[in-house]
Amino acid sequence: MPAFAFAVSGLFGSNVEAQGGIRLRQPFAGTYRLTAYVDHRSPDYTYDGNVVVYNGEERLNCPDCGEAWTNQGTYCYDGHNATDYALPGNTPVLAAASGRVTFSGWRSTYYGNSIRIDHGNGYETWYSHLAAFSVNLNDIVATGQQIGLSGNTGQNQPYHLHFEVRHNGDVTDPFGWQGNWSDPLPSGLAVCLWGDGQCFEIVVEDESDWFYKYGTGWDWDCRGNGWTMRRVANRQTSESAYARWRPDLPHTGPYAVFAFVPAVHATTTNAEYVVHDRDGDHPVLINQLNYSDEWVYLGSYNFWDGILGYVYLDNATGEANGSGEVCFDSIKFRQFRVYIPIALKNYP
Ligand SMILES: [Zn+2]
């Protein structure tokens, strides 16, 4: 019974419809860095030198990000079949949806301690590298119920949560498919399964095609959201570097805007993001030092559809030259509601 039948056709430029009754929440509380997406090209750990993520962007020749569980960088995890999050050890892992525990134990030397939940309608979720279990085989669990603790079991890798979604046994992507070309995922078109608003977000990573940086002094670090973060030393007066996040928005209307501030390098107390929307430029001062791997709300703004709106940031912070670093990481734009075209009819 499609109790959640839910059409968001046209929202992402491709036909995205959730068929048949599953909505997921994040498998943890709070905010942690997303460190690897599903590779839509070959989600079977085949290293083909080509990664395609949910928004349709392709990655080639990714630099080595030095995070031990990938060969080619976090946003560029060739062949990955799941979404990874940088959960520290012993963080509660939560059921993404209600269901029955159909596996609880050692999955393999690759995945370590793992739990599988059957949600019905052909959907299953896997949670891997766990340190401890809170549920047993055949337990019925509720959405958001703690099922275990995060760890690093399986291989010798940093702590993280490997969160895998399968539909009729095939790998699928809970972020769906936003590309304006055909989804290369072998099992077919992925649909966005998140029930917490993530389906209505456009995330612009600092390595996205929609991120534009200018000037000099740029450096980077692996410990950012998505793939990397960009950083540059601050300047007291005129800027020497600046950047714009310029998303291709699906509709004219209001969006809430958030900036991801990573735990490292973001040391300026005076980052001035400028949001450019239909009403003009809106400066928002953020003390980056106050945040640690968090999405920071910059306010809500009225954008055009297309690529006219943007968020701007530069390294002129007013602080003494080189006394801190300005961090440029992901920006996300969240639509307030599902866009529903309204056709007015005159009834005779
Ligand atoms: Zn993984």
Side-chain angles (χ1 to χ4, degrees):
M1 184 189 68
F4 299 90
F6 190 70
V8 290
S9 193
L11 183 61
F12 302 124
S14 64
N15 185 30
V16 180
E17 288 183 11
Q19 328 92 325
I22 185 170
R23 287 284 150 197
L24 303 177
R25 56 153 292 153
Q26 288 212 312
F28 47 81
T31 308
Y32 295 97
R33 293 183 305 125
L34 189 161
T35 54
Y37 288 110
V38 171
D39 178 3
H40 283 239
R41 181 74 78 192
S42 55
D44 58 0
Y45 295 95
T46 301
Y47 296 139
D48 61 3
N50 186 344
V51 176
V52 176
V53 298
Y54 76 101
N55 63 11
E57 294 186 49
E58 296 185 72
R59 293 282 181 263
L60 301 169
N61 305 316
C62 295
D64 183 355
C65 234
E67 298 206 46
W69 72 90
T70 77
N71 291 334
Q72 292 158 309
T74 48
Y75 197 59
C76 312
Y77 192 163
D78 201 350
H80 196 225
N81 66 357
T83 309
D84 283 348
Y85 296 96
L87 266 62
N90 295 314
T91 305
V93 173
L94 313 179
S98 61
R100 186 170 63 90
V101 177
T102 54
F103 185 96
S104 178
W106 187 259
R107 184 177 178 188
S108 73
T109 52
Y110 199 83
Y111 294 105
N113 289 328
S114 300
I115 289 171
R116 181 179 62 201
I117 300 175
D118 183 348
H119 305 290
N121 291 311
Y123 283 100
E124 297 170 313
T125 52
W126 281 98
Y127 311 78
S128 290
H129 312 307
L130 302 178
F133 302 99
S134 313
V135 292
N136 298 307
L137 191 63
N138 291 321
D139 280 0
I140 302 297
V141 296
T143 304
Q145 181 179 332
Q146 182 177 328
I147 57 173
L149 295 173
S150 60
N152 65 343
T153 56
Q155 299 197 322
N156 178 25
Q157 43 194 347
Y159 290 96
H160 71 281
L161 176 67
H162 171 98
F163 176 65
E164 184 178 324
V165 184
R166 288 179 178 262
H167 184 234
N168 295 333
D170 293 325
V171 169
T172 191
D173 186 345
F175 287 91
W177 176 250
Q178 295 182 20
N180 57 8
W181 52 295
S182 177
D183 186 353
L185 197 70
S187 59
L189 183 71
V191 295
C192 187
L193 300 173
W194 297 118
D196 58 4
Q198 291 186 84
C199 289
F200 311 113
E201 292 175 350
I202 293 88
V203 179
V204 181
E205 317 271 1
D206 60 291
E207 275 299 332
S208 163
D209 295 343
W210 304 109
F211 177 77
Y212 304 87
K213 66 180 170 56
Y214 306 89
T216 57
W218 289 97
D219 203 344
W220 63 292
D221 194 288
C222 292
R223 289 166 289 179
N225 189 61
W227 180 14
T228 59
M229 62 181 281
R230 302 283 156 168
R231 59 193 174 100
V232 66
N234 70 313
R235 305 259 307 166
Q236 189 161 15
T237 53
S238 61
E239 78 275 6
S240 62
Y242 63 96
R244 288 193 182 90
W245 295 259
R246 189 188 281 279
D248 190 358
L249 298 176
H251 302 292
T252 296
Y255 293 78
V257 181
F258 301 83
F260 195 89
V261 179
V264 293
H265 294 302
T267 52
T268 178
T269 60
N270 202 33
E272 186 178 275
Y273 295 85
V274 179
V275 182
H276 180 71
D277 75 353
R278 297 164 76 195
D279 304 317
D281 287 339
H282 308 276
V284 185
L285 283 176
I286 296 294
N287 180 344
Q288 291 192 338
L289 206 49
N290 275 351
Y291 300 99
S292 176
D293 287 344
E294 292 170 71
W295 287 105
V296 181
Y297 179 57
L298 301 184
S300 293
Y301 302 93
N302 289 305
F303 289 101
W304 304 264
D305 66 336
I307 57 169
L308 293 174
Y310 58 81
V311 174
Y312 168 96
L313 180 64
D314 66 37
N315 68 334
T317 65
E319 302 153 303
N321 282 354
S323 59
E325 284 183 293
V326 183
C327 173
F328 299 67
D329 205 340
S330 304
I331 299 277
K332 71 180 176 185
F333 302 78
R334 177 185 291 169
Q335 294 183 265
F336 273 89
R337 55 186 174 272
V338 181
Y339 173 76
I340 303 170
I342 298 172
L344 292 175
K345 257 185 170 177
N346 288 319
Y347 290 96

